[in-house]
């Protein structure tokens, strides 16, 4: 560590300036995943410190921000995994937010009420409020689903990599992703597509 | 064709259809699973809708991620507080100094 090379490849060569250059972008990224602003600030600090000690590994292939985001992404998954362990430690059988067997036995088309897909998805994606609601829904997801969802649907890791990182079987991963996506759908339904249709007879 | 496969194709229920729809984003479905899903979707409007909704959410999440990772965000989710900024700057300075010692 004593012979650390100067990080001349980075746009901002002085690490003291990183916080001004990248701090807000990293902070917004962290808030969108974690929700809690204090934790997001801690994660930004951890990211920049980790970057400092790993600056030799920066190859300049990606932009500096992409490199920092890569580090932050791992920190965020670590945060969710830590929470998951905390929950497991307190309660051996954490209550699942969805009870899959609830409707077994009397099969009907008992779907969640969910409005029709927006006729013009593009129009929805233009609205700022939509992104805020999406963030809200993502950050309120239980942590054991959030880690799988983040790695797979946000970071686009392949399933083998996700299973390895979370130390779970593919079958378990598919269950978590299924639940996570339905939770997100239900959350958006109640917070955004607040136009229940009654055609699910 | 095994009985289990035939049953899956002929009697796919919505919860199973939902599970397979989600799985189709993560792994190639087997021939039997694809047939079962296609048959079920023919008769079940809710499950056709589910596919569109999950595709929509997937696209939305992908876009949000790309925007944030590129440092551009259409929402105002705030900036680092001055206190946090100072604290981080101090931490970096300390770490740099330790490195140089």
């Amino acid at each position: 560590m004593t012979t650390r090379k100067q990080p001349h490849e980075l746009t901002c060569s002085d690490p003291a300036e990183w916080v001004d250059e990248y701090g807000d972008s990293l902070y917004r990224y962290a808030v969108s995943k974690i929700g809690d602003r204090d934790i997001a600030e801690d994660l930004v600090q951890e990211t920049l410190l980790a970057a400092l000690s790993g600056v030799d590994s920066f190859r300049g292939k990606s932009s500096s921000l992409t490199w920092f985001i890569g580090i932050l992404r791992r920190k965020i998954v670590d945060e969710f995994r830590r929470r998951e362990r905390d929950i497991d430690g307190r309660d051996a059988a954490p209550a699942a937010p969805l009870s899959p067997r609830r409707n077994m036995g009397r099969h009907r088309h008992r779907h969640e009420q969910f409005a029709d897909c927006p006729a013009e998805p593009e129009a929805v994606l233009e609205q700022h409020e939509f992104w805020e609601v999406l963030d809200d829904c993502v950050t309120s997801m239980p942590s054991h689903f959030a880690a799988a969802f983040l790695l797979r649907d946000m970071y686009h890791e392949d399933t083998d990599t996700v299973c390895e990182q979370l130390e779970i079987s593919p079958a378990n991963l598919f269950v978590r992703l299924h639940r996570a996506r339905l939770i997100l759908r239900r959350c958006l339904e109640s917070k955004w597509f607040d136009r229940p249709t009654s055609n699910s007879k | 064709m095994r009985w289990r496969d035939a049953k899956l194709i002929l009697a796919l229920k919505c919860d199973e259809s939902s599970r397979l729809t989600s799985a189709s984003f993560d792994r190639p479905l087997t021939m039997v699973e694809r047939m079962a899903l296609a048959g079920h979707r023919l008769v079940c409007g809710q499950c056709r809708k589910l596919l569109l909704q999950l595709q929509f959410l997937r696209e939305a999440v992908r876009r949000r991620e790309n925007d944030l990772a590129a440092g551009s965000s259409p929402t105002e989710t705030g900036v680092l507080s001055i206190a946090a900024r100072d604290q981080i700057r101090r931490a970096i300075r300390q770490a740099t100094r330790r490195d140089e010692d």
Side-chain angles (χ1 to χ4, degrees), chain B residues 8-89:
Chain B
L8 186 69
I9 293 175
L10 294 174
L12 192 77
K13 301 238 168 44
C14 286
D15 51 355
E16 190 71 354
S17 150
S18 164
R19 190 180 67 76
L20 288 178
T21 300
S22 171
S24 71
F25 293 127
D26 306 307
R27 65 173 174 86
L29 299 184
T30 65
M31 176 69 90
V32 168
E33 286 171 335
R34 282 204 306 273
M35 285 169 71
L37 204 48
H40 182 82
R41 282 194 192 130
L42 271 179
V43 296
C44 179
Q46 289 298 311
C47 286
R48 285 197 297 274
K49 196 155 98 176
L50 176 72
L51 175 65
L52 295 177
Q53 288 161 348
L54 292 187
Q55 281 170 341
F56 170 77
L57 290 182
R58 202 175 161 74
E59 172 62 17
V61 164
R62 194 188 63 80
R63 265 197 226 189
R64 181 74 177 137
E65 179 68 14
N66 287 349
D67 282 352
L68 284 163
S72 73
S73 164
T75 57
E76 194 36 72
T77 40
V79 292
L80 278 172
S81 65
I82 293 172
R85 207 176 286 269
D86 288 346
Q87 152 65 28
I88 294 171
R89 215 178 274 122

XYZ file of all heavy atoms in Angstrom, chain B residues 8-89:
635
model
N -49.612 -31.002 -16.605
C -49.149 -29.611 -16.592
C -49.728 -28.851 -17.797
O -50.199 -27.719 -17.673
C -47.611 -29.575 -16.634
C -46.974 -28.187 -16.487
C -47.168 -27.660 -15.077
C -45.505 -28.219 -16.827
N -49.705 -29.541 -18.959
C -50.190 -28.875 -20.168
C -51.692 -28.646 -20.111
O -52.200 -27.586 -20.477
C -49.825 -29.700 -21.425
C -48.309 -29.714 -21.612
C -50.503 -29.128 -22.668
C -47.831 -30.589 -22.742
N -52.416 -29.641 -19.603
C -53.881 -29.564 -19.665
C -54.494 -28.793 -18.508
O -55.584 -28.246 -18.635
C -54.471 -30.981 -19.689
C -54.149 -31.787 -20.944
C -54.647 -33.219 -20.807
C -54.762 -31.130 -22.179
N -53.791 -28.784 -17.395
C -54.453 -28.230 -16.211
C -53.577 -27.210 -15.487
O -53.531 -27.171 -14.269
C -54.838 -29.370 -15.267
N -52.870 -26.388 -16.239
C -52.015 -25.392 -15.606
C -52.874 -24.368 -14.866
O -53.826 -23.830 -15.413
C -51.166 -24.687 -16.659
C -50.037 -23.827 -16.111
C -48.876 -24.701 -15.669
C -49.572 -22.830 -17.152
N -52.523 -24.133 -13.626
C -53.278 -23.172 -12.834
C -52.572 -21.819 -12.869
O -51.402 -21.725 -13.226
C -53.364 -23.670 -11.390
C -54.027 -25.026 -11.295
C -55.225 -24.946 -10.408
C -56.128 -26.158 -10.457
N -55.470 -27.453 -10.428
N -53.290 -20.805 -12.430
C -52.741 -19.462 -12.523
C -51.478 -19.253 -11.679
O -50.565 -18.565 -12.097
C -53.789 -18.433 -12.126
S -55.038 -18.236 -13.391
N -51.441 -19.870 -10.489
C -50.240 -19.648 -9.674
C -49.017 -20.273 -10.346
O -47.927 -19.715 -10.326
C -50.424 -20.153 -8.228
C -50.926 -21.580 -8.168
O -51.222 -22.154 -9.243
O -51.013 -22.120 -7.056
N -49.235 -21.423 -10.987
C -48.148 -22.077 -11.713
C -47.761 -21.261 -12.952
O -46.592 -21.121 -13.294
C -48.608 -23.484 -12.114
C -47.535 -24.383 -12.657
C -46.541 -24.841 -11.611
O -46.600 -24.364 -10.448
O -45.686 -25.650 -11.961
N -48.754 -20.721 -13.606
C -48.517 -19.896 -14.784
C -47.705 -18.655 -14.413
O -46.783 -18.252 -15.122
C -49.862 -19.511 -15.405
O -49.775 -18.264 -16.043
N -48.042 -18.080 -13.263
C -47.335 -16.903 -12.773
C -45.867 -17.254 -12.486
O -44.941 -16.521 -12.855
C -48.050 -16.404 -11.517
O -47.248 -15.520 -10.792
N -45.674 -18.408 -11.863
C -44.323 -18.867 -11.538
C -43.497 -19.064 -12.823
O -42.350 -18.630 -12.912
C -44.421 -20.192 -10.771
C -43.136 -20.692 -10.161
C -43.346 -22.017 -9.431
N -43.686 -23.122 -10.335
C -42.801 -23.753 -11.118
N -41.539 -23.377 -11.122
N -43.181 -24.747 -11.901
N -44.105 -19.704 -13.819
C -43.385 -19.964 -15.072
C -43.113 -18.672 -15.839
O -42.077 -18.522 -16.478
C -44.182 -20.932 -15.955
C -44.243 -22.387 -15.490
C -45.105 -23.219 -16.446
C -42.842 -22.979 -15.402
N -44.068 -17.743 -15.772
C -43.871 -16.464 -16.468
C -42.647 -15.752 -15.906
O -41.802 -15.256 -16.644
C -45.120 -15.578 -16.315
O -46.238 -16.258 -16.882
C -44.941 -14.252 -17.024
N -42.548 -15.739 -14.580
C -41.382 -15.123 -13.955
C -40.114 -15.901 -14.320
O -39.090 -15.306 -14.691
C -41.576 -15.087 -12.432
O -40.390 -14.695 -11.789
N -40.189 -17.227 -14.272
C -39.012 -18.056 -14.559
C -38.516 -17.862 -15.991
O -37.329 -17.992 -16.271
C -39.327 -19.528 -14.303
N -39.451 -17.529 -16.890
C -39.059 -17.382 -18.295
C -38.079 -16.221 -18.490
O -37.388 -16.153 -19.490
C -40.289 -17.179 -19.179
O -40.852 -15.903 -18.963
N -38.016 -15.323 -17.508
C -37.026 -14.239 -17.588
C -35.636 -14.729 -17.169
O -34.646 -14.045 -17.377
C -37.420 -13.078 -16.673
C -38.672 -12.357 -17.108
C -39.716 -12.180 -16.211
C -38.798 -11.854 -18.394
C -40.876 -11.508 -16.606
C -39.950 -11.191 -18.788
C -40.984 -11.019 -17.895
N -35.594 -15.887 -16.508
C -34.340 -16.306 -15.892
C -33.743 -17.582 -16.462
O -32.567 -17.844 -16.281
C -34.552 -16.511 -14.380
C -35.156 -15.288 -13.739
O -34.588 -14.204 -13.929
O -36.203 -15.403 -13.077
N -34.560 -18.382 -17.094
C -34.040 -19.638 -17.650
C -34.898 -20.013 -18.847
O -36.058 -19.591 -18.938
C -34.095 -20.749 -16.593
C -35.519 -21.125 -16.163
C -35.500 -22.335 -15.240
N -36.833 -22.627 -14.704
C -37.735 -23.375 -15.333
N -37.477 -23.892 -16.518
N -38.917 -23.606 -14.764
N -34.307 -20.812 -19.773
C -35.143 -21.289 -20.876
C -36.177 -22.275 -20.333
O -35.834 -23.156 -19.548
C -34.142 -21.985 -21.800
C -32.873 -22.124 -21.063
C -32.916 -21.270 -19.840
N -37.430 -22.104 -20.715
C -38.454 -23.042 -20.262
C -38.351 -24.325 -21.091
O -37.889 -24.294 -22.230
C -39.843 -22.428 -20.429
C -40.129 -21.143 -19.652
C -41.579 -20.712 -19.854
C -39.846 -21.311 -18.166
N -38.791 -25.436 -20.504
C -38.814 -26.685 -21.258
C -39.960 -26.622 -22.269
O -40.857 -25.784 -22.153
C -39.060 -27.897 -20.334
O -40.381 -27.773 -19.784
C -38.046 -27.944 -19.205
N -39.914 -27.526 -23.232
C -40.980 -27.588 -24.233
C -42.349 -27.732 -23.562
O -43.307 -27.054 -23.918
C -40.702 -28.776 -25.169
C -41.773 -29.022 -26.199
S -41.820 -27.714 -27.426
C -40.668 -28.401 -28.608
N -42.414 -28.630 -22.593
C -43.680 -28.879 -21.893
C -44.164 -27.615 -21.184
O -45.338 -27.246 -21.263
C -43.518 -30.044 -20.886
C -44.715 -30.117 -19.944
C -43.345 -31.364 -21.630
N -43.241 -26.930 -20.533
C -43.622 -25.703 -19.817
C -44.119 -24.641 -20.794
O -45.099 -23.933 -20.536
C -42.422 -25.165 -19.025
C -42.105 -25.983 -17.783
C -40.784 -25.568 -17.133
O -39.906 -25.029 -17.836
O -40.636 -25.791 -15.926
N -43.438 -24.540 -21.933
C -43.861 -23.539 -22.924
C -45.258 -23.843 -23.463
O -46.075 -22.944 -23.615
C -42.864 -23.492 -24.089
C -41.590 -22.736 -23.764
C -40.913 -22.206 -25.032
N -40.679 -23.258 -26.014
C -39.597 -24.032 -26.043
N -38.663 -23.878 -25.126
N -39.442 -24.944 -26.974
N -45.505 -25.122 -23.729
C -46.824 -25.507 -24.240
C -47.911 -25.233 -23.206
O -48.986 -24.716 -23.519
C -46.843 -26.997 -24.620
C -46.110 -27.295 -25.919
S -45.880 -29.066 -26.162
C -47.559 -29.572 -26.511
N -47.615 -25.597 -21.960
C -48.592 -25.394 -20.889
C -48.923 -23.910 -20.742
O -50.095 -23.514 -20.643
C -48.039 -25.949 -19.576
N -47.872 -23.099 -20.774
C -48.046 -21.657 -20.586
C -48.840 -21.058 -21.752
O -49.769 -20.267 -21.546
C -46.664 -21.013 -20.485
C -46.521 -19.683 -19.774
C -47.221 -19.700 -18.432
C -45.044 -19.357 -19.593
N -48.480 -21.450 -22.959
C -49.166 -20.911 -24.126
C -50.646 -21.302 -24.101
O -51.520 -20.475 -24.373
C -48.508 -21.423 -25.409
N -50.911 -22.564 -23.759
C -52.299 -23.029 -23.697
C -53.078 -22.271 -22.640
O -54.213 -21.819 -22.865
N -52.460 -22.087 -21.484
C -53.140 -21.388 -20.395
C -53.420 -19.931 -20.783
O -54.503 -19.406 -20.511
C -52.297 -21.449 -19.128
C -52.952 -20.783 -17.956
N -53.904 -21.425 -17.184
C -52.824 -19.531 -17.450
C -54.326 -20.591 -16.252
N -53.672 -19.426 -16.383
N -52.463 -19.300 -21.413
C -52.642 -17.891 -21.773
C -53.747 -17.702 -22.804
O -54.381 -16.636 -22.856
C -51.338 -17.300 -22.310
C -50.359 -16.974 -21.198
C -49.234 -16.080 -21.696
N -48.184 -16.020 -20.703
C -46.901 -16.219 -20.968
N -46.516 -16.491 -22.211
N -46.009 -16.143 -20.019
N -53.961 -18.748 -23.616
C -55.042 -18.657 -24.599
C -56.386 -18.426 -23.921
O -57.241 -17.705 -24.425
C -55.131 -19.961 -25.408
C -54.286 -20.071 -26.675
C -54.491 -21.435 -27.300
C -54.646 -18.966 -27.667
N -56.552 -19.070 -22.765
C -57.869 -18.997 -22.113
C -57.885 -18.052 -20.922
O -58.941 -17.807 -20.343
C -58.337 -20.394 -21.642
C -58.549 -21.305 -22.843
C -57.337 -21.009 -20.669
N -56.734 -17.531 -20.527
C -56.704 -16.721 -19.297
C -56.176 -15.314 -19.563
O -54.979 -15.107 -19.738
C -55.859 -17.406 -18.229
S -55.766 -16.461 -16.701
N -57.098 -14.381 -19.593
C -56.727 -12.993 -19.855
C -55.848 -12.413 -18.761
O -54.941 -11.621 -19.017
N -56.116 -12.815 -17.510
C -55.331 -12.297 -16.390
C -53.861 -12.684 -16.525
O -52.982 -11.907 -16.203
C -55.898 -12.837 -15.072
C -57.243 -12.249 -14.700
C -57.163 -10.753 -14.484
O -56.287 -10.277 -13.770
N -58.058 -10.012 -15.100
N -53.619 -13.893 -17.000
C -52.232 -14.339 -17.125
C -51.547 -13.712 -18.341
O -50.335 -13.522 -18.328
C -52.151 -15.868 -17.154
S -52.433 -16.571 -15.508
N -52.336 -13.397 -19.356
C -51.749 -12.639 -20.471
C -51.333 -11.260 -19.971
O -50.294 -10.724 -20.312
C -52.768 -12.473 -21.611
C -52.998 -13.727 -22.425
C -53.665 -13.397 -23.764
N -55.000 -12.813 -23.635
C -56.119 -13.542 -23.514
N -56.059 -14.861 -23.505
N -57.295 -12.948 -23.409
N -52.195 -10.714 -19.118
C -51.916 -9.391 -18.571
C -50.673 -9.416 -17.681
O -49.839 -8.509 -17.742
C -53.126 -8.922 -17.759
C -53.143 -7.455 -17.469
C -54.546 -6.970 -17.234
C -54.844 -6.897 -15.761
N -56.169 -6.345 -15.465
N -50.569 -10.476 -16.894
C -49.412 -10.586 -16.000
C -48.101 -10.507 -16.789
O -47.173 -9.813 -16.386
C -49.460 -11.899 -15.221
C -48.235 -12.134 -14.322
C -48.268 -11.209 -13.110
C -48.124 -13.574 -13.870
N -48.055 -11.194 -17.917
C -46.839 -11.171 -18.730
C -46.511 -9.743 -19.154
O -45.380 -9.290 -19.022
C -47.010 -12.072 -19.963
C -45.838 -12.029 -20.959
C -44.572 -12.594 -20.325
C -46.178 -12.796 -22.235
N -47.522 -9.027 -19.629
C -47.288 -7.648 -20.067
C -46.832 -6.770 -18.907
O -45.941 -5.935 -19.048
C -48.569 -7.056 -20.668
C -49.058 -7.715 -21.964
C -50.365 -7.080 -22.414
C -48.006 -7.590 -23.056
N -47.444 -6.983 -17.731
C -47.079 -6.179 -16.558
C -45.639 -6.445 -16.138
O -44.882 -5.519 -15.854
C -48.021 -6.503 -15.402
C -49.409 -5.944 -15.616
C -50.425 -6.626 -14.738
O -50.156 -7.657 -14.125
N -51.611 -6.057 -14.682
N -45.269 -7.719 -16.101
C -43.905 -8.036 -15.683
C -42.890 -7.506 -16.699
O -41.819 -7.049 -16.325
C -43.733 -9.546 -15.455
C -44.486 -10.125 -14.260
C -44.095 -11.575 -14.030
C -44.243 -9.331 -12.985
N -43.257 -7.565 -17.975
C -42.362 -7.011 -18.995
C -42.228 -5.499 -18.827
O -41.142 -4.940 -18.953
C -42.885 -7.338 -20.401
C -42.579 -8.756 -20.828
C -43.294 -9.162 -22.106
O -44.281 -8.531 -22.497
N -42.819 -10.219 -22.743
N -43.359 -4.868 -18.514
C -43.344 -3.412 -18.310
C -42.461 -3.045 -17.112
O -41.616 -2.149 -17.196
C -44.777 -2.904 -18.098
C -44.850 -1.478 -17.647
C -44.652 -0.441 -18.547
C -45.106 -1.171 -16.322
C -44.706 0.879 -18.130
C -45.161 0.156 -15.904
C -44.959 1.178 -16.804
N -42.636 -3.768 -16.001
C -41.849 -3.483 -14.804
C -40.363 -3.708 -15.068
O -39.510 -2.936 -14.621
C -42.290 -4.385 -13.647
C -43.669 -4.083 -13.068
C -43.974 -5.014 -11.911
C -43.741 -2.627 -12.600
N -40.069 -4.752 -15.806
C -38.687 -5.075 -16.124
C -38.019 -3.940 -16.892
O -36.901 -3.536 -16.602
C -38.709 -6.349 -16.968
C -37.463 -7.125 -16.995
C -37.739 -8.411 -17.776
N -36.506 -8.993 -18.229
C -35.669 -9.627 -17.425
N -35.950 -9.749 -16.137
N -34.552 -10.119 -17.894
N -38.755 -3.441 -17.890
C -38.233 -2.341 -18.700
C -38.067 -1.069 -17.855
O -37.066 -0.362 -17.957
C -39.172 -2.095 -19.895
C -38.866 -0.860 -20.723
C -37.498 -0.894 -21.391
O -36.915 -1.995 -21.488
O -37.022 0.181 -21.801
N -39.050 -0.816 -16.994
C -38.990 0.377 -16.143
C -37.772 0.304 -15.213
O -37.018 1.271 -15.075
C -40.277 0.511 -15.328
N -37.592 -0.845 -14.597
C -36.481 -1.034 -13.663
C -35.142 -0.895 -14.392
O -34.197 -0.286 -13.895
C -36.593 -2.416 -12.978
C -35.294 -2.808 -12.313
C -37.722 -2.402 -11.961
N -35.094 -1.441 -15.610
C -33.859 -1.374 -16.390
C -33.485 0.084 -16.696
O -32.355 0.503 -16.553
C -34.033 -2.151 -17.700
C -32.747 -2.434 -18.448
C -33.042 -3.034 -19.819
N -33.792 -2.119 -20.670
C -33.259 -1.101 -21.348
N -31.967 -0.891 -21.275
N -34.005 -0.311 -22.073
N -34.521 0.841 -17.079
C -34.256 2.250 -17.412
C -33.810 3.059 -16.212
O -32.900 3.883 -16.300
C -35.520 2.884 -17.968
C -35.501 2.826 -19.449
C -36.487 3.789 -19.985
N -37.229 3.089 -20.999
C -38.080 3.683 -21.810
N -38.318 4.963 -21.681
N -38.693 2.993 -22.724
N -34.492 2.809 -15.079
C -34.145 3.534 -13.862
C -32.695 3.255 -13.482
O -31.939 4.158 -13.135
C -35.091 3.090 -12.736
C -34.852 3.780 -11.403
C -35.329 5.195 -11.425
N -35.187 5.858 -10.147
C -34.741 7.107 -10.018
N -34.414 7.816 -11.082
N -34.648 7.659 -8.836
N -32.328 1.990 -13.577
C -30.974 1.583 -13.232
C -29.944 2.256 -14.154
O -28.937 2.781 -13.697
C -30.872 0.060 -13.334
C -29.502 -0.511 -13.034
C -29.099 -0.351 -11.578
O -29.968 -0.032 -10.742
O -27.902 -0.532 -11.284
N -30.228 2.236 -15.447
C -29.288 2.840 -16.396
C -29.111 4.330 -16.139
O -27.996 4.842 -16.166
C -29.761 2.620 -17.843
C -29.562 1.183 -18.274
O -28.903 0.405 -17.585
N -30.147 0.816 -19.397
N -30.226 5.015 -15.879
C -30.149 6.451 -15.599
C -29.296 6.723 -14.375
O -28.400 7.561 -14.389
C -31.555 7.025 -15.353
C -32.317 7.229 -16.653
O -31.693 7.074 -17.731
O -33.517 7.524 -16.598
N -29.599 5.982 -13.290
C -28.890 6.235 -12.044
C -27.414 5.884 -12.162
O -26.554 6.600 -11.664
C -29.524 5.422 -10.911
C -30.841 5.973 -10.379
C -31.579 4.914 -9.596
C -30.591 7.201 -9.502
N -27.114 4.793 -12.847
C -25.721 4.369 -12.969
C -24.927 5.341 -13.838
O -23.717 5.438 -13.730
C -25.644 2.954 -13.534
N -25.647 6.074 -14.701
C -24.969 7.050 -15.560
C -24.914 8.422 -14.885
O -24.448 9.389 -15.467
C -25.680 7.143 -16.906
N -25.431 8.500 -13.661
C -25.376 9.750 -12.918
C -26.476 10.723 -13.276
O -26.496 11.851 -12.788
N -27.411 10.315 -14.130
C -28.517 11.206 -14.452
C -29.785 10.626 -13.850
O -30.048 9.439 -13.966
C -28.684 11.337 -15.964
O -29.226 10.158 -16.502
N -30.513 11.457 -13.165
C -31.742 10.988 -12.541
C -32.827 12.014 -12.770
O -32.644 13.190 -12.464
C -31.516 10.794 -11.045
O -32.751 10.693 -10.386
N -33.954 11.591 -13.319
C -35.025 12.543 -13.558
C -35.720 12.984 -12.268
O -36.461 13.953 -12.267
C -35.997 11.781 -14.463
C -35.718 10.346 -14.222
C -34.302 10.244 -13.784
N -35.469 12.281 -11.170
C -36.124 12.677 -9.930
C -35.145 13.434 -9.045
O -33.935 13.316 -9.179
C -36.616 11.458 -9.131
O -35.498 10.625 -8.884
C -37.660 10.700 -9.909
N -35.694 14.181 -8.144
C -34.854 14.923 -7.210
C -34.755 14.122 -5.921
O -35.569 14.273 -5.030
C -35.472 16.310 -6.953
C -34.503 17.258 -6.286
C -33.060 17.087 -6.751
O -32.749 17.461 -7.883
O -32.260 16.560 -5.952
N -33.811 13.205 -5.869
C -33.681 12.396 -4.663
C -32.613 12.967 -3.744
O -32.134 12.302 -2.858
C -33.370 10.921 -4.983
O -32.438 10.877 -6.054
C -34.619 10.177 -5.346
N -32.241 14.205 -4.006
C -31.395 14.876 -3.048
C -29.904 14.788 -3.327
O -29.452 14.120 -4.246
N -29.194 15.519 -2.507
C -27.742 15.545 -2.607
C -27.171 15.255 -1.226
O -27.883 15.335 -0.231
C -27.253 16.927 -3.099
C -27.669 17.155 -4.532
C -27.768 18.039 -2.201
N -25.918 14.904 -1.175
C -25.250 14.678 0.107
C -25.361 15.926 0.968
O -25.185 17.042 0.473
C -23.774 14.371 -0.128
C -23.375 12.952 -0.498
C -21.903 12.929 -0.880
C -23.630 11.988 0.651
N -25.617 15.723 2.240
C -25.665 16.882 3.132
C -24.245 17.427 3.301
O -23.265 16.713 3.067
C -26.229 16.472 4.490
O -25.350 15.572 5.114
N -24.184 18.693 3.709
C -22.866 19.304 3.890
C -22.073 18.556 4.949
O -20.881 18.300 4.791
C -23.028 20.797 4.270
C -23.625 21.542 3.078
C -21.694 21.405 4.670
C -24.020 22.965 3.360
N -22.773 18.143 6.007
C -22.095 17.418 7.083
C -21.509 16.104 6.561
O -20.354 15.763 6.863
C -23.080 17.136 8.221
N -22.290 15.387 5.777
C -21.819 14.104 5.239
C -20.630 14.320 4.314
O -19.645 13.588 4.351
C -22.947 13.407 4.488
N -20.739 15.375 3.512
C -19.669 15.700 2.578
C -18.359 15.957 3.332
O -17.304 15.427 2.982
C -20.078 16.962 1.809
C -19.501 17.118 0.444
C -20.096 18.351 -0.190
N -21.483 18.118 -0.588
C -21.825 17.679 -1.798
N -20.910 17.448 -2.702
N -23.087 17.476 -2.101
N -18.445 16.768 4.402
C -17.256 17.072 5.197
C -16.695 15.812 5.832
O -15.481 15.585 5.836
C -17.599 18.084 6.300
C -17.832 19.468 5.715
O -17.462 19.668 4.532
O -18.387 20.325 6.426
N -17.599 15.021 6.378
C -17.197 13.793 7.061
C -16.457 12.855 6.091
O -15.410 12.304 6.410
C -18.449 13.117 7.651
C -18.392 11.613 7.812
C -17.347 11.189 8.829
O -17.025 11.937 9.761
N -16.787 9.999 8.621
N -17.005 12.709 4.887
C -16.389 11.817 3.895
C -15.021 12.355 3.468
O -14.042 11.623 3.351
C -17.310 11.627 2.667
C -18.578 10.873 3.088
C -16.606 10.899 1.540
C -19.660 10.796 2.034
N -14.969 13.677 3.287
C -13.699 14.293 2.884
C -12.633 14.037 3.964
O -11.494 13.695 3.659
C -13.908 15.800 2.670
C -13.059 16.352 1.532
C -13.310 17.813 1.295
N -14.421 18.066 0.405
C -15.500 18.786 0.716
N -15.632 19.297 1.932
N -16.449 18.988 -0.162
